[in-house]
Amino acid sequence: MAVRAEKSVLNNILFSGVEDETFLKEIERKLEKKTVKASETLFKQGDDVKGLYLVLSGQVQVYTNRDGECYILSHAESNHLVGEFLPEGGSVRSVGAQVTEDTTLYFLSCAEFRELGKQFPEQSQLLALKIINRLFWNRTILALHLSHLFEGLSEKIVRRLISEMEILSIPSNTLLIKQEDISDELYIIIAGQFQVYRSSAGSNFEDLRIAGRGEPIGEIGVICQSSRLANALSIRDSTVAKLSRASYEKVLKIYPIEISQTFVKSSVNYILETNKSPLKPADTFVFADLSQTKKPEVIQQLTVALSEFGQTIFLTSDRVDAAFSHKGIAQSAFNSEYNHSLLHWLAEQEITHRYVVYVTDDSMTHWTLRCLRQADHVLFLANRKARPEKSDLEKNILNELGQKRVKKTLLLNHPSSNSVPEQSSSWLKGRTLNAHYHIRDENRADYSRVARFLTGNSIGIVLGGGGAKGFAHIGVIRALNELNIPVDLIGGNSIGAVIAAQYAMQWTHVEMIERTLRLCLHGDRFTLPIRSLFSGKRMTKALLDMFGDREIEDLWLRFFSVSCNISRATVMTHSSGSLLAAVLNSNVPPGLFPPQVVGGDLLVDGALLNNVPVDVMAEMNDGGTIIAVDVNACEDLMNNDDHRGGVSGWQLLLNKINPMAEDNSSLGMIEILTRASMIGGLAQRKKGMDGVADLYLQPPVNEFSLMAYKDAKKIEEAGYRYAMKELQKWLGKKKSLG
């Protein structure tokens, strides 16, 4: 039952300027008194919004948790309010609140507030505007906390800066800052994104960065009193806080030491990239169903997968209408009377949730257009069995996006099956995409893999070359599977490329041992040694039998191999087209097998320059985890006899076949040439590993020779036992770090 509030509660800043006594008395009647003890939680981030609180006495601390960090935003004391909400549209808390001392508050529920709106529409509208402004206040505080420019400033100074700021809504595709203009103000992004770029004579375009929530724009010009150095174009509907030069100088006079030290230090740290990385803006995905057949199931599974990395919500036009209890509000045009409320509500969802999935309608409605204005990344869903031609919806979406820097990914949907897809390239032809992924009905692993790629949490494995020692790679893969460490992207060189391709086909470790051993023992025929010792025909046929005419685009996992282009002295990456060619190009050690000819260039085993291509993986697995597996030691083929003065091949042959001879272990040409082909890559190994691989594994297989294929199972077991131990230690460290 509601308790009548003391008159002093009307001193709250929420009611300043409200003079209607009848309205105020009705508010008093609806307020509910609460007493909360110190350290108790008033509400948690993510809770459903039920109402707001007016502080009569005591103190409430407002905070937000994002990406494992807690940000203290403000403290609400007597005559202030906490727990503001949007009057229209249901929502959840974007912040949490904890009482720091015994506190007395009054609670006004959302339902009671809406009832007041019906009885006193004009007065309630005034309160609603104040509450919305308070929400902007909290969003601005969060943006300033995340901004390197204001890092370390006290709450008192932050509040003063905000009091000098003006909140502006910036529509998508608006030029906020123009290069070479006078720098009269700086901006802090509260919500949305801006493309920062330079232009020069001759229409040259230099793309500098994408700026998101918490990042400042135009600060250098204001601080240094110089003209604008670049342009800033909104690429989403955005909200910014503007601080004029006059206001900046006004606050600077009040807090000269604090402001100067913080601005100079943070700017220098930002330039040197030594500052704490600012919180990334909430990633927004636009989901467009081109198949129009499986949308609900796919959206639900994708949302569940994304939720593993942060709170996620998907928004359809129907769900937006339901939140507002107003049919058709999602279809509001940008000049509609409802546009302002809808923009606020969507911004609140992006602040509250780590990931937001906007689901378009099946045509270019106002809601579809609004989704595209919010897009960081567009996901096109297509039924693999449908015709690959672009639909009208896809064409219209691409036209609407124009030249905006928005990622585009194709999700090819398949029935529940383990068979490798076919002819995926027909879907990729004529499309400019950042990536494509295969997803199977009700296959949770596929959706989790896509979610890891979308959120920068994918795991890539790099397998190096090493002849028979490469069987240790299979042992490492077995350990990864048993420890439930997912592999999203796999690549390698030489024998590493062979095994990586098999794993991308999703064969078991038993199948990989059998198939690889069969390949290696198949042998090849000697040929007249003009270009190579072996003809390569048998190896080519064996690889053809293994992989057929499969294309890399058809693999369940993303895959690449590397080779060395000896015509141009460079490393080649093979991540599309024929899987057979990609593996073959990476498995022709110079001198042993004839080089592959591609476009007139000669390609040989990539070990010549890059035996464990972690740098290639870093480019393809942007932001993800990289595990490198190296089966070669820098020191090998030791303790050889001195053949000073020359060596007789005939004598070595006799020693090989004579069990009574003193030397029965002389190295053969194949081992020497194989080892020699790796020297360049081995010399570059430390340089490539430093700061690139998150985990570097080097299985203890030095006792095995490069040609010890008969010991394949022993080598695989050695790799497995070593990997189990090292991976468990690695997982323990990751767990202890949170």
Side-chain angles (χ1 to χ4, degrees):
M1 181 177 178
V3 178
R4 184 173 177 81
E6 290 90 342
K7 289 293 184 182
S8 57
V9 75
L10 297 180
N11 292 329
N12 194 284
I13 59 173
L14 179 62
F15 305 120
S16 62
V18 179
E19 299 178 354
D20 189 319
E21 291 292 334
T22 305
F23 178 54
L24 293 174
K25 286 181 179 180
E26 185 63 20
I27 289 178
E28 283 185 299
R29 192 180 68 81
K30 293 181 179 296
L31 291 174
E32 180 183 351
K33 187 177 182 180
K34 293 178 179 289
T35 300
V36 185
K37 296 293 184 180
S39 300
E40 288 188 17
T41 298
L42 199 57
F43 52 80
K44 296 179 180 179
Q45 184 175 338
D47 286 350
D48 289 335
V49 175
K50 296 180 179 178
L52 61 81
Y53 297 85
L54 309 175
V55 182
L56 187 65
S57 63
Q59 186 184 73
V60 181
Q61 178 176 275
V62 180
Y63 65 92
T64 185
N65 291 307
R66 290 296 294 261
D67 290 351
E69 290 205 44
C70 180
Y71 298 88
I72 306 301
L73 301 182
S74 62
H75 294 83
E77 299 178 339
S78 177
N79 296 330
H80 285 75
L81 62 154
V82 65
E84 300 88 345
F85 61 89
L86 286 172
E88 295 183 273
S91 188
V92 296
R93 299 289 189 190
S94 59
V95 298
Q98 184 179 35
V99 174
T100 58
E101 59 185 68
D102 292 352
T103 300
T104 302
L105 316 101
Y106 284 90
F107 176 71
L108 179 63
S109 71
C110 297
E112 294 285 14
F113 185 83
R114 294 189 181 103
E115 189 63 33
L116 283 170
K118 296 176 182 178
Q119 299 177 46
F120 305 91
E122 186 176 338
Q123 296 87 338
S124 296
Q125 186 64 33
L126 175 61
L127 290 192
L129 183 59
K130 288 188 175 185
I131 293 172
I132 291 174
N133 288 338
R134 290 290 303 180
L135 274 175
F136 275 125
W137 173 280
N138 286 335
R139 293 177 190 172
T140 307
I141 290 177
L142 175 59
L144 264 61
H145 273 284
L146 302 177
S147 173
H148 70 84
L149 193 60
F150 302 96
E151 188 175 12
L153 287 178
S154 68
E155 183 177 327
K156 180 180 179 181
I157 299 176
V158 168
R159 285 179 176 273
R160 183 54 192 265
L161 281 167
I162 292 177
S163 69
E164 296 290 337
M165 291 180 169
E166 180 183 358
I167 307 299
L168 302 175
S169 294
I170 310 298
S172 178
N173 204 35
T174 299
L175 191 63
L176 180 65
I177 288 178
K178 186 177 180 182
Q179 187 176 332
E180 298 182 355
D181 276 359
I182 298 173
S183 300
D184 285 331
E185 58 275 312
L186 64 85
Y187 301 91
I188 305 297
I189 303 173
I190 299 175
Q193 287 187 343
F194 289 81
Q195 184 173 3
V196 181
Y197 65 95
R198 290 196 188 102
S199 53
S200 58
S203 300
N204 289 330
F205 179 90
E206 182 184 1
D207 194 359
L208 300 178
R209 64 189 173 103
I210 297 294
R213 176 154 27 103
E215 294 189 64
I217 303 177
E219 75 279 14
I220 299 299
V222 170
I223 296 172
C224 300
Q225 298 188 4
S226 62
S227 59
R228 299 295 192 193
L229 301 176
N231 303 288
L233 177 73
S234 61
I235 54 177
R236 289 179 47 194
D237 291 335
S238 304
T239 304
V240 299
K242 182 179 78 171
L243 180 67
S244 67
R245 184 199 298 275
S247 295
Y248 163 71
E249 293 175 348
K250 179 180 177 181
V251 180
L252 181 63
K253 289 179 182 178
I254 302 173
Y255 305 102
I257 297 177
E258 296 92 333
I259 295 288
S260 297
Q261 288 181 343
T262 300
F263 276 32
V264 171
K265 179 181 177 180
S266 60
S267 295
V268 170
N269 285 343
Y270 183 71
I271 293 171
L272 297 176
E273 296 183 347
T274 58
N275 64 303
K276 179 181 65 178
S277 298
L279 181 69
K280 293 192 299 184
D283 290 334
T284 61
F285 302 100
V286 169
F287 183 93
D289 182 15
L290 306 181
S291 66
Q292 300 182 13
T293 55
K294 297 182 178 295
K295 183 161 57 179
E297 297 82 359
V298 173
I299 295 170
Q300 186 61 45
Q301 293 191 67
L302 182 61
T303 301
V304 170
L306 286 170
S307 296
E308 296 178 16
F309 305 101
Q311 192 170 5
T312 304
I313 187 174
F314 72 88
L315 300 175
T316 63
S317 54
D318 288 341
R319 295 193 77 180
V320 172
D321 288 350
F324 279 84
S325 299
H326 189 310
K327 184 66 176 176
I329 196 167
Q331 303 298 346
S332 300
F334 299 111
N335 58 356
S336 165
E337 60 179 311
Y338 299 111
N339 183 59
H340 195 61
S341 297
L342 187 52
L343 278 177
H344 287 330
W345 189 83
L346 294 177
E348 192 70 5
Q349 305 316 303
E350 293 187 22
I351 290 174
T352 303
H353 300 87
R354 183 64 184 85
Y355 303 106
V356 178
V357 181
Y358 290 91
V359 182
T360 70
D361 294 327
D362 293 335
S363 60
M364 295 301 288
T365 61
H366 284 302
W367 170 249
T368 297
L369 292 171
R370 191 177 293 277
C371 291
L372 297 176
R373 290 169 71 104
Q374 300 298 112
D376 293 338
H377 196 149
V378 177
L379 308 174
F380 293 106
L381 174 68
N383 186 335
R384 170 63 190 84
K385 293 186 176 181
R387 295 178 62 84
E389 290 81 7
K390 291 181 182 177
S391 66
D392 289 340
L393 177 61
E394 182 180 2
K395 292 176 182 177
N396 289 331
I397 288 175
L398 294 175
N399 287 336
E400 182 65 25
L401 292 175
Q403 299 301 313
K404 288 174 65 175
R405 233 177 70 169
V406 175
K407 291 183 178 179
K408 304 176 189 68
T409 291
L410 178 66
L411 305 178
L412 284 172
N413 184 251
H414 303 262
S416 298
S417 170
N418 289 324
S419 60
V420 179
E422 296 180 351
Q423 298 181 345
S424 303
S425 57
S426 63
W427 279 93
L428 306 180
K429 186 177 180 180
R431 287 180 169 89
T432 302
L433 300 166
N434 294 87
H436 78 281
Y437 304 106
H438 300 283
I439 52 176
R440 286 163 285 191
D441 292 344
E442 301 177 4
N443 189 310
R444 184 175 179 180
D446 289 347
Y447 287 91
S448 294
R449 182 180 304 116
V450 171
R452 286 190 293 272
F453 273 115
L454 295 179
T455 61
N457 289 286
S458 51
I459 299 177
I461 311 297
V462 189
L463 309 179
K469 297 179 182 181
F471 280 92
H473 292 316
I474 302 176
V476 173
I477 289 172
R478 175 155 64 107
L480 288 165
N481 289 340
E482 290 187 10
L483 293 173
N484 294 316
I485 299 174
V487 176
D488 304 307
L489 169 61
I490 191 165
N493 172 65
S494 194
I495 188 68
V498 173
I499 293 169
Q502 294 180 63
Y503 188 68
M505 298 276 286
Q506 298 201 329
W507 293 341
T508 67
H509 77 278
V510 174
E511 289 177 307
M512 286 190 284
I513 292 174
E514 293 176 351
R515 291 170 185 265
T516 307
L517 188 57
R518 192 182 310 135
L519 170 72
C520 295
L521 295 179
H522 196 272
D524 213 305
R525 290 180 178 176
F526 285 103
T527 187
L528 190 64
I530 296 176
R531 178 170 285 192
S532 61
L533 287 176
F534 300 103
S535 68
K537 291 182 179 180
R538 284 188 175 180
M539 183 181 69
T540 301
K541 183 180 184 305
L543 287 173
L544 178 61
D545 292 340
M546 182 180 290
F547 298 118
D549 59 356
R550 188 73 58 204
E551 292 188 336
I552 294 174
E553 291 85 347
D554 291 327
L555 299 175
W556 292 115
L557 299 184
R558 292 178 64 184
F559 163 86
F560 73 88
S561 70
V562 297
S563 65
C564 175
N565 186 323
I566 58 175
S567 300
R568 303 177 188 272
T570 186
V571 173
M572 302 286 289
T573 300
H574 310 283
S575 58
S576 63
S578 168
L579 179 61
L580 170 64
V583 175
L584 196 57
N585 291 341
S586 188
N587 275 275
V588 281
L592 293 179
F593 291 93
Q596 296 294 300
V597 180
V598 177
D601 290 348
L602 299 179
L603 307 187
V604 299
D605 194 308
L608 201 62
L609 291 177
N610 198 350
N611 193 44
V612 188
V614 290
D615 53 340
V616 177
M617 177 63 77
E619 292 180 8
M620 298 183 67
N621 192 28
D622 185 24
T625 298
I626 298 175
I627 300 175
V629 188
D630 187 356
V631 295
N632 275 296
C634 281
E635 297 180 354
D636 200 2
L637 309 187
M638 310 288 285
N639 303 318
N640 298 289
D641 292 337
D642 186 359
H643 295 302
R644 191 177 306 165
V647 60
S648 168
W650 295 109
Q651 184 62 51
L652 290 176
L653 177 61
L654 289 174
N655 288 345
K656 284 283 187 182
I657 62 178
N658 181 4
M660 305 300 295
E662 291 184 6
D663 181 13
N664 197 32
S665 59
S666 297
L667 293 170
M669 181 187 299
I670 295 175
E671 280 190 296
I672 293 173
L673 286 175
T674 302
R675 175 67 178 179
S677 70
M678 299 178 182
I679 294 301
L682 291 173
Q684 294 294 318
R685 179 170 61 192
K686 185 177 186 304
K687 179 181 178 182
M689 294 298 173
D690 287 346
V692 181
D694 297 280
L695 179 62
Y696 174 48
L697 300 177
Q698 191 170 20
V701 291
N702 292 342
E703 63 180 281
F704 301 99
S705 75
L706 295 170
M707 308 303 294
Y709 297 114
K710 66 181 186 306
D711 295 320
K713 292 185 178 180
K714 291 181 181 179
I715 298 172
E716 188 272 345
E717 182 67 20
Y720 167 74
R721 293 186 180 279
Y722 165 82
M724 285 294 288
K725 181 180 178 181
E726 294 301 314
L727 288 169
Q728 286 173 335
K729 287 196 301 186
W730 180 63
L731 289 173
K733 290 180 181 178
K734 286 172 66 70
K735 186 176 181 180
S736 65
L737 294 173

